[in-house]
Amino acid sequence: MITLAEFAELKTGIKELERLRKQYQNLKAQSIVGASYASYGRAHSGYADRVYTRVAALDEAEHELNNRKRELSALIDKRFNPVYDCMNFAMLPDSIRVAAILRERCEGKSWGKIGQTWGIKGSSCRHIIRRYEQQLKKLSEAGCDT
């Protein structure tokens, strides 16, 4: 089962992913230029250098975003493993739903889109995550933290 600290790390990681996605989108918007501009080279006031610098920054941002997404997915897979969670039958249904919701948040889906996928409201998805976190806090306070 996931610990409260790991759950907090997941939530922070998802917020970081959102920030990285925005940064990536901004860089992508700045990097869109016509091919004729990119082919000028150094002879035309270094415009190509600026374009390639932006493209390199875009590539680096994409790499960082994908690496962080893989790290969070690995943590979700490791800590929300249904076989592992079978030791605590009371949390099994919730842990499967929470893992699925967190995976979709890692992919950048909004709460509303996730809710549509599940046939519920986006606020209900948030409530599921909040309730699960409260259960983890109670287990942690009771000394059942693993």
Side-chain angles (χ1 to χ4, degrees):
M1 183 169 54
I2 191 165
T3 64
L4 186 57
E6 288 171 328
F7 194 79
E9 179 187 340
L10 267 175
K11 286 176 64 176
T12 302
I14 289 171
K15 285 181 183 178
E16 181 185 347
L17 274 177
E18 290 173 11
R19 183 190 60 77
L20 288 171
R21 269 191 201 90
K22 287 178 185 175
Q23 178 185 1
Y24 175 76
Q25 291 301 325
N26 289 337
L27 285 170
K28 191 173 182 180
Q30 292 173 5
S31 298
I32 297 175
V33 295
S36 60
Y37 291 115
S39 64
Y40 277 135
R42 290 184 185 265
H44 290 76
S45 69
Y47 186 79
D49 290 342
R50 290 192 306 270
V51 170
Y52 293 120
T53 300
R54 287 180 184 164
V55 170
L58 180 64
D59 187 49
E60 185 178 321
E62 182 179 26
H63 184 69
E64 183 180 356
L65 177 65
N66 289 334
N67 281 344
R68 190 65 179 133
K69 219 182 330 183
R70 274 192 293 276
E71 289 172 7
L72 290 175
S73 291
L75 181 59
I76 291 170
D77 290 342
K78 175 183 168 192
R79 302 311 283 170
F80 284 99
N81 185 339
V83 174
Y84 184 83
D85 274 352
C86 280
M87 300 168 105
N88 188 352
F89 289 102
M91 293 188 78
L92 180 63
D94 275 347
S95 66
I96 292 171
R97 280 193 303 186
V98 167
I101 291 169
L102 290 174
R103 277 191 189 91
E104 291 185 49
R105 287 292 289 162
C106 285
E107 292 300 319
K109 290 186 178 178
S110 67
W111 290 110
K113 293 278 185 195
I114 296 170
Q116 286 177 350
T117 302
W118 286 83
I120 56 177
K121 293 180 181 178
S123 58
S124 296
C125 292
R126 283 185 184 181
H127 180 72
I128 290 168
I129 298 298
R130 204 174 306 119
R131 187 178 60 209
Y132 190 80
E133 185 175 20
Q134 289 170 351
Q135 289 174 344
L136 287 175
K137 284 180 183 176
K138 286 179 184 176
L139 286 173
S140 178
E141 290 169 0
C144 299
D145 207 7
T146 55

